[in-house]
Amino acid sequence: SSCLGRPPSLSVRACAPNRLLVGEASAMLRRLVLAAATATMAAATQARCPGSDAWLHAKCQIEVLASAVCDDVSAELRARVAGQPQRWQDPHNNGTYRLLSGSSESELELTRTTGNGKYTDKLVFTLDPRSGGRCSMVGCSESQVTSFIDKSTNCCNLRMLFCGADHGCKSVQNSFTVQELSVHHSMGAGQHWEACFPGSAGQPRILHT
């Protein structure tokens, strides 16, 4: 019989070791969860955002884990930007991305101008190698004019550069899977998948083909 439904002949003392084991297991699980959350927060905290001269502006930061090495991930992002408009087009309202001269192998600085040419947002992607040939990437997009509600535009700015065929996106050079680990955005800014990919529900994985 278990200690929860112990017969009268089973003492409370005999049940104590089992209760201790359960307590230790629960404590260990809590520590593991806390460690994972801390690692995720640390990666996002260390990543840089582009900043904005507008005191009130919309912002989105997304942390993802890619199944490819960072060199391949960086090369795909660069290939999409360089491939405009013949080899690749921004699926979200046909904006225009530009890679800035301050970019490095581990940090990409970009701008995205809306399809109508009225607004330009700034983006930074920070890449960090992980074990197993994977790459941790934190992207941050910020509006450069006074804004509050952005209809998920800043999150979409980031997702368009690593989304895959399942959401109407085209890979140019390298294929890999991406899992979103965290999304942070300013009050009023959105993060909705359906805003970036109409007709698509929220999905934790993005498949490249």
Side-chain angles (χ1 to χ4, degrees):
S1 301
S2 67
C3 285
L4 293 177
R6 69 180 187 277
S9 59
L10 187 61
S11 66
V12 174
R13 180 175 297 179
C15 289
N18 286 339
R19 288 201 299 270
L20 288 174
L21 289 175
V22 172
E24 290 174 358
S26 297
M28 181 178 293
L29 180 60
R30 287 196 296 270
R31 288 195 294 269
L32 290 173
V33 171
L34 179 60
T38 301
T40 296
M41 292 174 62
T45 300
Q46 293 172 3
R48 185 172 66 87
C49 284
S52 175
D53 291 333
W55 179 76
L56 178 65
H57 64 277
K59 172 183 177 180
C60 177
Q61 185 180 59
I62 302 178
E63 182 185 7
V64 303
L65 185 64
S67 64
V69 297
C70 287
D71 285 348
D72 288 349
V73 175
S74 176
E76 173 61 22
L77 269 64
R78 291 171 180 268
R80 292 191 185 192
V81 176
Q84 301 170 108
Q86 286 82 15
R87 298 186 63 196
W88 185 82
Q89 289 185 334
D90 174 17
H92 186 243
N93 301 325
N94 198 29
T96 300
Y97 290 87
R98 290 180 176 85
L99 185 68
L100 303 182
S101 59
S103 298
S104 65
E105 291 302 318
S106 60
E107 187 177 85
L108 303 181
E109 299 180 13
L110 308 102
T111 62
R112 178 189 181 271
T113 302
T114 54
N116 59 15
K118 288 186 177 181
Y119 305 104
T120 297
D121 301 324
K122 289 185 177 181
L123 302 78
V124 173
F125 283 94
T126 304
L127 295 84
D128 188 19
R130 289 290 185 263
S131 61
R134 299 175 298 172
C135 181
S136 171
M137 181 170 64
V138 180
C140 187
S141 173
E142 293 189 79
S143 299
Q144 298 302 298
V145 297
T146 300
S147 55
F148 182 70
I149 298 175
D150 74 345
K151 298 181 180 179
S152 301
T153 293
N154 280 284
C155 284
C156 294
N157 287 348
L158 302 171
R159 286 171 173 150
M160 293 306 108
L161 289 178
F162 55 75
C163 61
D166 283 0
H167 301 97
C169 303
K170 177 184 178 182
S171 297
V172 177
Q173 184 168 324
N174 298 311
S175 300
F176 46 83
T177 61
V178 177
Q179 181 180 9
E180 288 194 3
L181 302 180
S182 65
V183 180
H184 306 280
H185 57 86
S186 58
M187 183 180 296
Q191 62 172 355
H192 303 297
W193 274 84
E194 57 271 22
C196 306
F197 313 104
S200 174
Q203 298 182 29
R205 293 177 65 84
I206 307 171
L207 299 178
H208 280 254
T209 58

Coordinates of all heavy atoms in Angstrom, one line a residue, residues 118-202:
K118 N 6.8 55.6 -45.9 CA 6.6 56.7 -44.9 C 7.4 56.5 -43.6 O 7.8 57.4 -43.0 CB 5.1 56.7 -44.6 CG 4.2 57.3 -45.6 CD 2.7 57.4 -45.2 CE 1.9 58.0 -46.2 NZ 0.4 58.2 -45.7
Y119 N 7.6 55.2 -43.2 CA 8.2 55.0 -41.9 C 9.4 54.0 -42.0 O 9.4 53.1 -42.8 CB 7.2 54.4 -40.9 CG 5.9 55.2 -40.8 CD1 4.7 54.9 -41.4 CD2 5.9 56.4 -40.0 CE1 3.6 55.6 -41.3 CE2 4.8 57.2 -39.9 CZ 3.6 56.8 -40.5 OH 2.5 57.6 -40.4
T120 N 10.4 54.3 -41.2 CA 11.6 53.4 -41.1 C 11.8 53.0 -39.7 O 11.9 53.9 -38.8 CB 12.8 54.1 -41.7 OG1 12.6 54.4 -43.1 CG2 14.1 53.2 -41.6
D121 N 11.9 51.7 -39.5 CA 12.2 51.1 -38.1 C 13.7 50.6 -38.1 O 14.2 50.3 -39.2 CB 11.3 50.0 -37.8 CG 9.8 50.4 -37.8 OD1 9.5 51.5 -37.4 OD2 9.0 49.6 -38.2
K122 N 14.3 50.6 -37.0 CA 15.6 50.0 -36.8 C 15.6 48.7 -36.1 O 14.7 48.5 -35.2 CB 16.5 51.0 -36.0 CG 16.9 52.3 -36.8 CD 17.8 53.1 -36.0 CE 18.3 54.3 -36.8 NZ 19.3 55.2 -36.1
L123 N 16.5 47.8 -36.5 CA 16.5 46.4 -36.0 C 18.0 46.0 -35.6 O 18.9 46.5 -36.3 CB 16.0 45.4 -37.0 CG 14.6 45.5 -37.5 CD1 14.4 46.5 -38.6 CD2 14.1 44.1 -38.1
V124 N 18.1 45.2 -34.6 CA 19.4 44.6 -34.3 C 19.1 43.1 -34.0 O 18.2 42.7 -33.3 CB 20.0 45.2 -33.1 CG1 21.3 44.4 -32.7 CG2 20.4 46.7 -33.3
F125 N 19.9 42.2 -34.7 CA 19.9 40.8 -34.4 C 21.3 40.4 -33.7 O 22.3 40.7 -34.3 CB 19.7 40.0 -35.7 CG 18.3 39.9 -36.2 CD1 17.9 40.8 -37.2 CD2 17.4 39.0 -35.7 CE1 16.6 40.8 -37.7 CE2 16.1 39.0 -36.2 CZ 15.7 39.9 -37.2
T126 N 21.2 39.8 -32.6 CA 22.4 39.3 -31.9 C 22.4 37.8 -31.9 O 21.5 37.2 -31.4 CB 22.4 39.9 -30.4 OG1 22.3 41.3 -30.4 CG2 23.7 39.5 -29.7
L127 N 23.5 37.3 -32.4 CA 23.7 35.8 -32.6 C 24.7 35.2 -31.6 O 25.8 35.8 -31.4 CB 24.0 35.4 -34.0 CG 23.0 35.8 -35.1 CD1 23.1 37.2 -35.5 CD2 23.2 34.9 -36.3
D128 N 24.4 34.1 -31.0 CA 25.3 33.5 -30.0 C 25.3 32.0 -30.2 O 24.2 31.3 -30.1 CB 24.8 33.9 -28.6 CG 25.7 33.4 -27.5 OD1 26.9 33.2 -27.8 OD2 25.3 33.3 -26.4
P129 N 26.4 31.4 -30.5 CA 26.5 29.9 -30.7 C 26.0 29.1 -29.5 O 26.3 29.5 -28.4 CB 28.0 29.7 -31.1 CG 28.5 31.0 -31.5 CD 27.7 32.0 -30.7
R130 N 25.4 28.0 -29.8 CA 24.9 27.1 -28.8 C 25.4 25.7 -29.1 O 25.8 25.4 -30.2 CB 23.4 27.1 -28.6 CG 22.8 28.3 -28.0 CD 23.2 28.4 -26.5 NE 22.6 29.6 -25.9 CZ 23.2 30.8 -25.7 NH1 24.4 30.9 -26.1 NH2 22.6 31.7 -25.1
S131 N 25.4 24.8 -28.1 CA 25.9 23.4 -28.3 C 25.0 22.7 -29.4 O 23.8 23.1 -29.6 CB 25.8 22.6 -27.0 OG 24.5 22.6 -26.5
G132 N 25.5 21.6 -29.9 CA 24.8 20.9 -30.9 C 24.6 21.5 -32.2 O 23.7 21.2 -33.0
G133 N 25.5 22.5 -32.6 CA 25.4 23.2 -33.9 C 24.2 24.1 -34.0 O 23.7 24.4 -35.1
R134 N 23.7 24.6 -32.9 CA 22.5 25.5 -32.9 C 22.9 27.0 -32.7 O 24.1 27.2 -32.3 CB 21.5 25.1 -31.8 CG 20.9 23.7 -32.0 CD 20.0 23.3 -30.8 NE 20.8 23.3 -29.6 CZ 20.2 23.1 -28.4 NH1 18.9 22.9 -28.3 NH2 21.0 23.1 -27.3
C135 N 22.0 27.9 -32.8 CA 22.3 29.3 -32.7 C 21.2 30.0 -31.9 O 20.0 29.9 -32.3 CB 22.5 29.9 -34.1 SG 22.9 31.7 -34.0
S136 N 21.5 30.7 -30.9 CA 20.6 31.5 -30.2 C 20.6 32.9 -30.8 O 21.7 33.5 -31.0 CB 20.9 31.6 -28.7 OG 20.1 32.6 -28.0
M137 N 19.4 33.4 -31.1 CA 19.4 34.8 -31.8 C 18.3 35.6 -31.1 O 17.2 35.1 -30.9 CB 19.1 34.6 -33.2 CG 19.0 35.9 -34.0 SD 18.9 35.7 -35.8 CE 17.3 34.9 -36.0
V138 N 18.7 36.8 -30.7 CA 17.7 37.8 -30.2 C 17.6 38.9 -31.1 O 18.6 39.6 -31.5 CB 18.2 38.3 -28.8 CG1 17.2 39.3 -28.2 CG2 18.4 37.1 -27.8
G139 N 16.4 39.2 -31.6 CA 16.1 40.3 -32.5 C 15.3 41.4 -31.8 O 14.5 41.1 -31.0
C140 N 15.7 42.6 -32.0 CA 15.0 43.7 -31.4 C 14.7 44.8 -32.5 O 15.5 45.2 -33.3 CB 15.8 44.4 -30.3 SG 15.0 45.6 -29.3
S141 N 13.4 45.2 -32.6 CA 13.0 46.2 -33.5 C 12.3 47.4 -32.8 O 11.5 47.1 -31.9 CB 12.0 45.6 -34.5 OG 11.4 46.5 -35.4
E142 N 12.6 48.6 -33.2 CA 12.1 49.8 -32.5 C 11.6 50.8 -33.6 O 12.4 51.1 -34.6 CB 13.1 50.4 -31.6 CG 13.4 49.6 -30.4 CD 14.2 50.3 -29.4 OE1 13.7 51.1 -28.6 OE2 15.5 50.1 -29.3
S143 N 10.4 51.3 -33.4 CA 10.0 52.4 -34.2 C 10.8 53.7 -34.0 O 11.2 53.9 -32.9 CB 8.5 52.7 -33.9 OG 7.7 51.6 -34.2
Q144 N 10.9 54.5 -35.0 CA 11.8 55.7 -34.9 C 11.0 57.0 -34.8 O 11.5 58.1 -34.8 CB 12.7 55.7 -36.1 CG 13.7 54.6 -36.1 CD 14.6 54.4 -34.9 OE1 15.3 55.3 -34.6 NE2 14.4 53.3 -34.2
V145 N 9.7 56.8 -34.8 CA 8.8 58.0 -34.6 C 7.8 57.7 -33.5 O 7.7 56.6 -33.0 CB 8.0 58.3 -35.9 CG1 8.9 58.6 -37.1 CG2 7.1 57.1 -36.3
T146 N 7.2 58.8 -32.9 CA 6.3 58.6 -31.8 C 5.2 57.6 -32.2 O 4.5 57.8 -33.2 CB 5.7 60.0 -31.5 OG1 6.7 60.9 -31.1 CG2 4.7 59.8 -30.3
S147 N 5.0 56.6 -31.4 CA 4.1 55.5 -31.7 C 3.7 54.8 -30.4 O 4.5 54.8 -29.5 CB 4.6 54.6 -32.8 OG 5.9 54.0 -32.3
F148 N 2.5 54.2 -30.4 CA 2.1 53.4 -29.2 C 1.6 52.1 -29.7 O 2.1 51.0 -29.3 CB 1.0 54.2 -28.5 CG 0.6 53.5 -27.2 CD1 1.4 53.4 -26.1 CD2 -0.7 53.0 -27.2 CE1 1.0 52.7 -25.0 CE2 -1.2 52.3 -26.0 CZ -0.3 52.2 -24.9
I149 N 0.5 52.1 -30.5 CA 0.0 50.9 -31.1 C 0.6 50.6 -32.5 O 0.5 51.5 -33.3 CB -1.6 51.0 -31.2 CG1 -2.2 51.2 -29.8 CG2 -2.2 49.8 -31.9 CD1 -3.7 51.4 -29.8
D150 N 1.3 49.5 -32.6 CA 1.9 49.2 -33.9 C 1.3 48.1 -34.7 O 1.9 47.7 -35.7 CB 3.4 49.0 -33.6 CG 3.7 47.6 -33.0 OD1 2.8 47.0 -32.5 OD2 4.9 47.2 -33.0
K151 N 0.3 47.5 -34.2 CA -0.4 46.4 -34.9 C 0.6 45.2 -35.2 O 0.5 44.7 -36.3 CB -1.1 46.9 -36.2 CG -2.2 47.9 -36.0 CD -2.8 48.4 -37.3 CE -3.9 49.4 -37.0 NZ -4.5 49.9 -38.3
S152 N 1.5 45.0 -34.3 CA 2.5 43.9 -34.4 C 3.6 44.1 -35.4 O 4.3 43.2 -35.7 CB 1.8 42.6 -34.6 OG 0.9 42.2 -33.6
T153 N 3.7 45.4 -35.9 CA 4.6 45.6 -37.0 C 6.1 45.3 -36.6 O 6.8 44.7 -37.3 CB 4.6 47.1 -37.5 OG1 3.3 47.3 -38.1 CG2 5.7 47.4 -38.4
N154 N 6.5 45.7 -35.4 CA 7.9 45.5 -35.0 C 8.2 44.0 -34.8 O 9.3 43.6 -35.2 CB 8.2 46.3 -33.7 CG 8.4 47.7 -33.9 OD1 9.5 48.1 -34.4 ND2 7.4 48.6 -33.6
C155 N 7.3 43.2 -34.3 CA 7.5 41.8 -34.2 C 7.6 41.2 -35.6 O 8.4 40.3 -35.9 CB 6.4 41.1 -33.4 SG 6.6 41.3 -31.6
C156 N 6.7 41.7 -36.5 CA 6.7 41.1 -37.9 C 8.0 41.5 -38.6 O 8.5 40.7 -39.4 CB 5.5 41.7 -38.6 SG 3.9 41.1 -38.0
N157 N 8.5 42.7 -38.3 CA 9.8 43.1 -38.9 C 10.9 42.1 -38.7 O 11.7 41.7 -39.5 CB 10.3 44.4 -38.2 CG 9.5 45.6 -38.7 OD1 8.7 45.6 -39.6 ND2 9.7 46.7 -38.0
L158 N 10.9 41.5 -37.4 CA 11.9 40.5 -37.1 C 11.6 39.1 -37.7 O 12.4 38.5 -38.3 CB 11.9 40.3 -35.5 CG 12.3 41.6 -34.8 CD1 12.0 41.4 -33.3 CD2 13.7 42.1 -35.0
R159 N 10.3 38.7 -37.6 CA 9.9 37.4 -38.1 C 10.1 37.2 -39.6 O 10.4 36.1 -40.0 CB 8.5 37.1 -37.7 CG 8.3 36.8 -36.2 CD 6.8 36.8 -35.8 NE 6.7 36.4 -34.4 CZ 5.6 36.8 -33.6 NH1 4.7 37.6 -34.1 NH2 5.6 36.3 -32.4
M160 N 10.0 38.3 -40.3 CA 10.1 38.1 -41.8 C 11.5 37.7 -42.2 O 11.6 37.1 -43.3 CB 9.7 39.4 -42.5 CG 8.3 39.9 -42.4 SD 7.1 38.6 -42.9 CE 6.4 38.1 -41.3
L161 N 12.5 37.9 -41.4 CA 13.8 37.6 -41.8 C 14.2 36.1 -41.4 O 15.3 35.7 -41.8 CB 14.8 38.6 -41.2 CG 14.8 40.0 -41.8 CD1 15.7 40.9 -41.1 CD2 15.1 39.9 -43.3
F162 N 13.4 35.4 -40.6 CA 13.7 34.0 -40.3 C 12.5 33.1 -40.5 O 12.6 31.9 -40.1 CB 14.3 33.9 -38.9 CG 13.5 34.4 -37.8 CD1 12.3 33.8 -37.3 CD2 13.9 35.6 -37.1 CE1 11.6 34.2 -36.3 CE2 13.1 36.1 -36.1 CZ 12.0 35.4 -35.6
C163 N 11.4 33.6 -41.0 CA 10.2 32.7 -41.2 C 10.4 31.8 -42.4 O 11.4 32.0 -43.2 CB 9.0 33.6 -41.4 SG 9.0 34.7 -42.9
G164 N 9.6 30.8 -42.5 CA 9.8 29.8 -43.6 C 8.6 29.6 -44.5 O 7.6 30.4 -44.5
A165 N 8.6 28.6 -45.3 CA 7.6 28.4 -46.3 C 6.2 28.2 -45.8 O 5.2 28.5 -46.4 CB 8.0 27.2 -47.2
D166 N 6.1 27.6 -44.5 CA 4.8 27.4 -43.9 C 4.0 28.7 -43.7 O 2.8 28.7 -43.6 CB 4.9 26.7 -42.6 CG 5.2 25.2 -42.7 OD1 5.3 24.8 -43.9 OD2 5.3 24.6 -41.7
H167 N 4.7 29.8 -43.7 CA 4.0 31.1 -43.6 C 4.2 32.0 -44.8 O 4.1 33.3 -44.7 CB 4.6 31.8 -42.3 CG 4.4 31.0 -41.1 ND1 5.4 30.2 -40.6 CD2 3.3 30.8 -40.3 CE1 4.9 29.5 -39.5 NE2 3.7 29.9 -39.3
G168 N 4.5 31.4 -45.9 CA 4.6 32.2 -47.1 C 5.9 32.9 -47.3 O 6.0 33.8 -48.2
C169 N 6.9 32.4 -46.6 CA 8.2 33.1 -46.7 C 9.1 32.2 -47.6 O 9.0 31.0 -47.6 CB 8.8 33.3 -45.3 SG 7.8 34.2 -44.2
K170 N 10.1 32.8 -48.2 CA 11.1 32.1 -49.0 C 12.5 32.2 -48.5 O 13.0 33.3 -48.2 CB 11.0 32.7 -50.4 CG 12.0 32.1 -51.4 CD 12.0 32.8 -52.7 CE 13.0 32.3 -53.7 NZ 13.0 33.0 -55.0
S171 N 13.1 31.0 -48.3 CA 14.5 31.0 -47.9 C 15.3 31.2 -49.1 O 15.0 30.7 -50.2 CB 14.8 29.7 -47.2 OG 14.1 29.5 -46.0
V172 N 16.5 31.9 -49.0 CA 17.3 32.2 -50.1 C 18.5 31.3 -50.2 O 18.9 30.8 -51.2 CB 17.7 33.7 -50.1 CG1 18.7 34.0 -51.2 CG2 16.5 34.6 -50.1
Q173 N 19.2 31.1 -49.0 CA 20.5 30.4 -49.0 C 20.5 29.2 -48.1 O 21.0 28.1 -48.5 CB 21.6 31.4 -48.6 CG 23.0 30.8 -48.7 CD 24.0 31.9 -48.5 OE1 23.8 33.0 -49.0 NE2 25.1 31.6 -47.9
N174 N 20.0 29.3 -46.9 CA 20.1 28.2 -45.9 C 18.8 27.9 -45.3 O 18.0 28.8 -45.1 CB 21.1 28.6 -44.8 CG 22.5 28.8 -45.3 OD1 23.1 28.0 -46.0 ND2 23.1 29.9 -44.9
S175 N 18.5 26.6 -45.1 CA 17.3 26.1 -44.5 C 17.5 25.6 -43.1 O 18.5 24.9 -42.8 CB 16.7 25.0 -45.3 OG 16.4 25.4 -46.6
F176 N 16.6 26.0 -42.1 CA 16.8 25.5 -40.7 C 15.4 25.7 -40.0 O 14.5 26.4 -40.5 CB 17.9 26.3 -40.0 CG 17.9 27.7 -40.2 CD1 17.0 28.6 -39.5 CD2 18.7 28.3 -41.2 CE1 17.0 30.0 -39.7 CE2 18.7 29.7 -41.4 CZ 17.9 30.5 -40.7
T177 N 15.3 25.1 -38.9 CA 14.0 25.3 -38.1 C 14.3 26.3 -37.0 O 15.5 26.5 -36.5 CB 13.5 24.0 -37.4 OG1 14.5 23.5 -36.6 CG2 13.2 23.0 -38.5
V178 N 13.3 27.1 -36.6 CA 13.5 28.1 -35.6 C 12.3 28.0 -34.6 O 11.2 27.8 -34.9 CB 13.4 29.5 -36.2 CG1 13.5 30.6 -35.1 CG2 14.6 29.7 -37.2
Q179 N 12.7 28.0 -33.3 CA 11.7 28.0 -32.2 C 11.8 29.3 -31.4 O 12.8 29.7 -31.0 CB 12.0 26.8 -31.3 CG 10.9 26.7 -30.1 CD 11.2 25.5 -29.2 OE1 12.3 24.9 -29.4 NE2 10.3 25.2 -28.3
E180 N 10.6 29.9 -31.3 CA 10.6 31.1 -30.5 C 10.6 30.8 -29.0 O 9.8 30.0 -28.5 CB 9.4 32.0 -30.8 CG 9.4 32.7 -32.1 CD 8.4 33.7 -32.3 OE1 7.6 34.0 -31.4 OE2 8.3 34.3 -33.4
L181 N 11.5 31.4 -28.2 CA 11.6 31.1 -26.8 C 11.0 32.2 -26.0 O 10.4 31.9 -24.9 CB 13.1 31.0 -26.4 CG 14.0 30.0 -27.1 CD1 15.4 30.0 -26.6 CD2 13.4 28.6 -27.0
S182 N 11.0 33.4 -26.4 CA 10.4 34.5 -25.6 C 10.1 35.7 -26.6 O 10.8 35.9 -27.6 CB 11.3 35.0 -24.5 OG 12.5 35.5 -25.0
V183 N 9.0 36.4 -26.2 CA 8.7 37.6 -26.9 C 8.3 38.7 -25.9 O 7.5 38.5 -25.0 CB 7.4 37.4 -27.8 CG1 7.1 38.7 -28.6 CG2 7.7 36.3 -28.8
H184 N 9.0 39.8 -26.0 CA 8.7 41.0 -25.2 C 8.4 42.2 -26.0 O 9.1 42.4 -27.0 CB 10.0 41.3 -24.3 CG 10.4 40.1 -23.5 ND1 9.9 39.7 -22.3 CD2 11.5 39.2 -23.7 CE1 10.5 38.6 -21.8 NE2 11.5 38.3 -22.7
H185 N 7.4 43.0 -25.6 CA 7.1 44.1 -26.4 C 6.6 45.3 -25.5 O 6.2 45.0 -24.4 CB 6.0 43.8 -27.5 CG 4.7 43.2 -26.9 ND1 3.7 44.0 -26.4 CD2 4.4 41.9 -26.7 CE1 2.7 43.2 -26.0 NE2 3.1 41.9 -26.1
S186 N 6.6 46.5 -26.1 CA 6.2 47.6 -25.3 C 4.7 47.6 -25.2 O 4.0 47.0 -25.9 CB 6.7 48.9 -26.0 OG 6.1 49.0 -27.3
M187 N 4.2 48.3 -24.2 CA 2.7 48.5 -24.0 C 2.1 49.1 -25.2 O 2.6 50.1 -25.7 CB 2.4 49.3 -22.8 CG 0.9 49.4 -22.4 SD 0.6 50.4 -21.0 CE 1.4 49.4 -19.7
G188 N 1.1 48.5 -25.8 CA 0.5 49.0 -27.0 C 0.9 48.3 -28.2 O 0.2 48.3 -29.2
A189 N 2.2 47.8 -28.2 CA 2.7 47.0 -29.4 C 2.1 45.6 -29.4 O 1.8 45.1 -28.3 CB 4.2 47.0 -29.4
G190 N 2.0 45.0 -30.5 CA 1.4 43.7 -30.6 C 2.5 42.6 -30.9 O 3.6 43.0 -31.2
Q191 N 2.1 41.4 -30.8 CA 3.0 40.3 -31.0 C 2.3 39.1 -31.8 O 2.8 38.0 -31.9 CB 3.6 39.7 -29.8 CG 2.5 39.1 -28.8 CD 3.1 38.3 -27.7 OE1 4.4 38.2 -27.6 NE2 2.3 37.9 -26.8
H192 N 1.1 39.4 -32.4 CA 0.2 38.4 -32.9 C 0.7 37.8 -34.2 O 1.1 38.5 -35.1 CB -1.2 39.0 -33.1 CG -1.8 39.6 -31.9 ND1 -2.1 38.8 -30.8 CD2 -2.1 40.8 -31.6 CE1 -2.6 39.6 -29.8 NE2 -2.6 40.8 -30.3
W193 N 0.7 36.5 -34.2 CA 1.2 35.7 -35.4 C 0.3 36.0 -36.6 O 0.8 36.2 -37.7 CB 1.1 34.2 -35.1 CG 2.3 33.7 -34.5 CD1 2.7 33.7 -33.2 CD2 3.5 33.1 -35.2 NE1 3.9 33.2 -33.0 CE2 4.4 32.8 -34.2 CE3 3.7 32.8 -36.5 CZ2 5.6 32.2 -34.5 CZ3 4.9 32.2 -36.8 CH2 5.9 31.9 -35.9
E194 N -1.0 36.1 -36.4 CA -1.9 36.3 -37.5 C -1.7 37.7 -38.2 O -2.1 37.9 -39.3 CB -3.4 36.2 -37.1 CG -3.8 37.1 -35.9 CD -3.6 36.5 -34.6 OE1 -2.8 35.6 -34.4 OE2 -4.3 36.9 -33.6
A195 N -1.2 38.7 -37.4 CA -0.9 40.0 -38.0 C 0.3 39.8 -39.0 O 0.4 40.5 -40.0 CB -0.5 41.0 -37.0
C196 N 1.3 38.9 -38.7 CA 2.4 38.7 -39.6 C 2.1 37.8 -40.7 O 2.5 37.9 -41.8 CB 3.6 38.2 -38.8 SG 4.1 39.1 -37.3
F197 N 1.3 36.7 -40.4 CA 1.0 35.7 -41.3 C -0.5 35.5 -41.3 O -1.0 34.6 -40.6 CB 1.7 34.4 -40.9 CG 3.1 34.5 -40.6 CD1 3.6 34.5 -39.3 CD2 4.1 34.8 -41.6 CE1 4.9 34.7 -39.0 CE2 5.4 34.9 -41.4 CZ 5.8 34.9 -40.0
P198 N -1.3 36.2 -42.1 CA -2.8 36.1 -42.1 C -3.2 34.7 -42.3 O -2.8 34.0 -43.1 CB -3.2 37.0 -43.2 CG -2.1 38.0 -43.3 CD -0.8 37.3 -43.0
G199 N -4.2 34.3 -41.4 CA -4.7 32.9 -41.5 C -4.0 31.9 -40.8 O -4.4 30.7 -40.7
S200 N -2.9 32.3 -40.1 CA -2.0 31.4 -39.3 C -2.2 31.6 -37.9 O -2.1 32.7 -37.4 CB -0.6 31.5 -39.7 OG 0.2 30.7 -38.9
A201 N -2.5 30.5 -37.1 CA -2.6 30.6 -35.6 C -1.2 30.7 -35.1 O -0.2 30.4 -35.7 CB -3.4 29.4 -35.1
G202 N -1.1 31.1 -33.8 CA 0.2 31.1 -33.1 C 0.9 29.8 -33.1 O 0.3 28.8 -32.8

